[in-house]
Amino acid sequence: HWAEVGAFLQLPPKYVAIHQLTFKPTWGEFGLWESLIYSNRGIDVAYLNPLSFLKSVEHSLRDRDNSAIGAWASVRPFKNLQIKGSYFLDDLVFSLIGTDYWSNKAAFNIGAQYSTPLGIDAALEYAKVFPYTFSHFNVQNATTNDGLQMLGYLAPNSDEVSLHLNWWRGNRYPFSLIIASRRHGDNIMGKAADGSDSTLVNVGGSVLLANRYGIDSANAPFLAGQRNDVFVVQFSGGIEVIRGFNIQLNYRLEQMNSTTKHTAAFTFRFDDF
């Protein structure tokens, strides 16, 4: 039994292979990409071919790894307006599209940003992550780094709508305001027969736990499980006192269900804006 910390801690090697094809027409940019995560072995030369299709290569290597594909786009229909979006496809069963089948795993976001003549940038965004997205039956191949999710901050089985306001006073001093409303369906935790903490009901709410065959339901309705509603207001701003010396203020209000938390930071630093 290996130690979990200290000199005898075993950290298995983990790698990410990514291909991306980007286009830049006059109206914006868009790209197509694919990725693959693998672990517990050295660098696999089969994934080093930049012209290969990673999913096909993974199939030839006995489906041990975690593949994904996606697309993103930025569109500027007219001056000062930008529309952006992205789509991440983790897994899909074509015959079960439109159902709550757990293996239909995906994430997307779409937003618009407008720059006003007053120097204020205003953006509105909606993002959604379906249950079990980013997870993998081999937890080492989940979309994580050292146990932390690598893509975004929304956990599986979550969505969020957010408003972003940014103002550069005198085109130099930055002020920003974020207002966001987030919903998350978390797994239901409890005590196992041996008294240890355990996931009693798995609804796909954690990147570190995939569907357990024969234990968890094959259906994963969006926002099922322990419902957590989060409302966030975050403000940050800075002003230069004298050349190079500036004051930064950050404040965050986070309300989860009936619990409210306030966080504030005041920093005096020497740095260029």
Side-chain angles (χ1 to χ4, degrees), residues 39-231:
S39 63
N40 294 303
R41 64 186 189 270
I43 295 176
D44 201 319
V45 296
Y47 294 135
L48 296 182
N49 182 353
L51 301 180
S52 65
F53 183 48
L54 293 177
K55 183 63 178 177
S56 296
V57 177
E58 187 218 359
H59 276 312
S60 70
L61 295 176
R62 306 191 181 186
D63 288 324
R64 294 173 291 169
D65 307 322
N66 185 9
S67 60
I69 60 174
W72 60 270
S74 297
V75 180
R76 291 180 286 276
F78 51 83
K79 184 179 179 181
N80 294 341
L81 177 65
Q82 181 171 235
I83 300 172
K84 304 183 72 173
S86 64
Y87 183 76
F88 175 94
L89 180 60
D90 194 348
D91 210 349
L92 183 66
V93 178
F94 282 95
S95 62
L96 296 175
I97 292 177
T99 70
D100 291 329
Y101 185 60
W102 74 270
S103 191
N104 290 340
K105 302 184 292 182
F108 70 88
N109 77 314
I110 186 168
Q113 177 175 305
Y114 181 71
S115 297
T116 70
L118 299 176
I120 299 174
D121 297 333
L124 185 65
E125 180 186 21
Y126 176 74
K128 181 176 182 178
V129 183
F130 288 85
Y132 290 106
T133 304
F134 308 134
S135 68
H136 194 259
F137 64 86
N138 177 0
V139 69
Q140 296 296 341
N141 288 344
T143 311
T144 59
N145 178 41
D146 202 15
L148 300 177
Q149 188 173 306
M150 289 192 296
L151 294 180
Y153 55 86
L154 279 184
N157 203 20
S158 302
D159 71 348
E160 181 184 81
V161 59
S162 58
L163 173 67
H164 304 253
L165 299 175
N166 294 284
W167 176 47
W168 290 81
R169 179 175 175 271
N171 294 319
R172 183 170 177 81
Y173 307 121
F175 294 85
S176 67
L177 176 66
I178 300 174
I179 302 174
S181 178
R182 185 184 313 154
R183 302 181 299 175
H184 174 53
D186 203 358
N187 295 337
I188 298 176
M189 307 298 294
K191 295 292 184 180
D194 61 1
S196 61
D197 293 332
S198 177
T199 300
L200 300 182
V201 180
N202 184 12
V203 296
S206 172
V207 69
L208 298 176
L209 185 62
N211 185 276
R212 300 169 296 186
Y213 181 76
I215 300 176
D216 301 323
S217 172
N219 291 320
F222 184 61
L223 295 180
Q226 173 63 50
R227 177 70 173 268
N228 292 320
D229 293 333
V230 180
F231 177 73

Side-chain angles (χ1 to χ4, degrees), residues 175 235-241 245-252 263-269:
F175 294 85
F235 170 81
S236 63
I239 187 169
E240 191 173 47
V241 182
F245 287 92
N246 57 84
I247 296 173
Q248 301 290 319
L249 173 65
N250 294 277
Y251 169 75
R252 178 182 176 92
T263 307
F266 180 83
T267 307
F268 181 67
R269 68 184 188 183

Side-chain angles (χ1 to χ4, degrees), residues 253-262:
L253 179 151
E254 180 175 309
Q255 184 178 44
M256 178 184 292
N257 300 333
S258 60
T259 303
T260 302
K261 180 171 65 174
H262 301 269

